[in-house]
């Protein structure tokens, strides 16, 4: 999981992730990773619209957001 997060950070990709909080609540979030350090990372969370700290061990899954360019015909 950490390797995927580092890759997204390196290429400045947005990430959709499933995250479980300390109280057991599961949420789906779209984030932009700002900093990775040790067992946590800081990211801008589009759900909460603010910078948040996340524990890598609490990330259940993550997937980079793929954007497609549209062609003008």
């Amino acid at each position: 999981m950490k390797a995927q997060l580092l890759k997204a950070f390196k290429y400045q990709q947005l990430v959709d992730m499933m995250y479980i909080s300390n109280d057991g609540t599961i949420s789906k979030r779209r984030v932009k990773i700002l900093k990775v350090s040790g067992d946590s990372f800081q990211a801008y969370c589009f759900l909460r619209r603010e910078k948040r700290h996340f524990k890598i061990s609490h990330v259940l899954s993550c997937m980079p957001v793929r954007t497609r360019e549209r062609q003008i015909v």
Side-chain angles (χ1 to χ4, degrees):
M1 193 64 62
K2 188 171 182 176
Q4 291 174 318
L5 294 171
L6 287 171
K7 185 175 178 182
F9 173 64
K10 179 180 177 182
Y11 294 108
Q12 292 296 298
Q13 293 176 308
L14 298 181
V15 175
D16 282 335
M17 69 175 186
M18 296 296 290
Y19 188 80
I20 186 165
S21 65
N22 286 331
D23 67 2
T25 306
I26 297 174
S27 61
K28 181 180 178 184
R29 298 166 182 260
R30 180 164 287 182
V31 298
K32 180 175 183 179
I33 300 171
L34 304 173
K35 186 169 100 174
V36 179
S37 58
D39 61 347
S40 65
F41 62 98
Q42 183 181 24
Y44 179 81
C45 176
F46 290 92
L47 178 68
R48 303 284 185 229
R49 295 187 178 147
E50 62 185 9
K51 288 182 187 177
R52 307 285 294 232
H53 284 88
F54 299 96
K55 294 179 182 177
I56 294 173
S57 61
H58 287 216
V59 177
L60 301 174
S61 67
C62 68
M63 183 141 198
V65 175
R66 305 238 187 241
T67 57
R68 295 184 182 176
E69 294 182 18
R70 298 181 186 212
Q71 292 181 342
I72 299 174
V73 178

